[in-house]
């Protein structure tokens, strides 16, 4: 398996728009599988390809709790078809911003269309945590992080903290 490392913010590669995949071929399927492994290893519930340095429109999600049956989703080229008027505000974190959290308000329910791991076009209606997670991961494909939904004051506090953590880590 290819070794994928999760990029930590601030990183310019997390701010770029990802490109659609022309089709779900063997390489995309392998990317999905590798991302799912990396995400589960990091105890995450979602991961987007730009977070492992791949600028493709691919996300993986599993919001099931460890004691429950896994509910993995592998999505390529996800598109938002509909979003509810009613919103949900909840705390979000991100594997690219470890130990940082912020309250984000998003539509409570959505409908998305995507290509699954077999290249089949699928539609999914989701609400609550799953909807929130899909929206968070789709944001990554636009170069948007959850901190971009916070006030500039909160965003800057978190990004400065992250930059310091990275400097200390680099210094060993
Ligand atoms: Ni994230």
């Amino acid at each position: 398996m290819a070794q994928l490392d999760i990029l930590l913010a601030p990183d310019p590669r997390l701010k770029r728009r990802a490109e659609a995949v022309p089709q779900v071929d063997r390489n995309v399927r392998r990317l999905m599988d590798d991302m799912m492994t990396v995400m589960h290893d990091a105890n995450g519930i979602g991961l987007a390809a730009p977070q492992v340095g791949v600028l493709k429109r691919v996300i993986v999600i599993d919001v099931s709790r460890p004691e429950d049956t896994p509910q993995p989703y592998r999505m390529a080229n996800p598109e938002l078809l509909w979003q509810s008027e009613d919103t949900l505000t909840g705390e979000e974190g991100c594997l690219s911003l470890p130990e940082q959290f912020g309250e984000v308000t998003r539509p409570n329910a959505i409908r998305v269309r995507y290509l699954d791991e077999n290249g089949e076009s699928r539609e999914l209606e989701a609400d609550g945590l799953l909807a929130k997670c899909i929206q968070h991961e789709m944001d990554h494909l636009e170069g948007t992080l959850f901190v971009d939904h916070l006030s500039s004051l909160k965003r800057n506090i978190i990004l400065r903290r992250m930059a310091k953590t990275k400097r200390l880590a680099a210094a060993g």
Side-chain angles (χ1 to χ4, degrees):
M1 193 192 90
Q3 181 62 45
L4 298 177
D5 290 319
I6 297 176
L7 301 180
L8 298 180
D11 187 310
R13 288 170 289 180
L14 293 171
K15 301 304 296 170
R16 291 175 56 192
R17 187 173 189 276
E19 297 209 345
V21 298
Q23 59 182 17
V24 179
D25 57 14
R26 231 177 47 191
N27 291 334
V28 171
R29 245 189 319 273
R30 164 155 321 156
L31 173 66
M32 289 169 160
D33 289 343
D34 289 351
M35 286 169 58
M36 191 68 86
T37 303
V38 168
M39 182 195 81
H40 279 138
D41 286 351
N43 294 316
I45 59 174
L47 187 67
Q51 291 181 274
V52 292
V54 179
L55 280 172
K56 291 185 177 155
R57 301 184 81 78
V58 171
I59 62 178
V60 297
I61 287 166
D62 185 355
V63 299
S64 66
R65 283 174 298 193
E67 63 270 28
D68 294 335
T69 314
Q71 283 182 312
Y73 289 99
R74 294 164 169 84
M75 300 183 177
N77 304 344
E79 284 173 79
L80 194 63
L81 300 177
W82 170 84
Q83 57 186 47
S84 65
E85 298 271 318
D86 62 310
T87 58
L88 180 70
T89 300
E91 193 166 75
E92 293 191 20
C94 180
L95 292 175
S96 292
L97 294 121
E99 292 165 53
Q100 311 301 322
F101 301 94
E103 295 268 314
V104 179
T105 299
R106 300 183 185 275
N108 178 47
I110 57 167
R111 185 161 62 244
V112 288
R113 183 191 293 141
Y114 63 96
L115 298 175
D116 72 8
E117 61 272 30
N118 300 311
E120 303 278 346
S121 179
R122 288 183 182 273
E123 285 187 20
L124 174 70
E125 247 178 71
D127 62 7
L129 179 60
L130 179 57
K132 178 219 278 273
C133 186
I134 293 170
Q135 293 174 84
H136 175 118
E137 300 315 326
M138 285 178 68
D139 267 1
H140 276 297
L141 305 181
E142 304 302 324
T144 300
L145 303 175
F146 83 83
V147 290
D148 295 317
H149 293 283
L150 307 178
S151 69
S152 58
L153 179 69
K154 283 184 188 160
R155 177 168 59 249
N156 289 334
I157 289 172
I158 289 178
L159 289 177
R160 269 202 298 270
R161 215 184 273 152
M162 283 297 308
K164 190 179 170 191
T165 306
K166 285 179 78 174
R167 271 201 311 276
L168 290 173

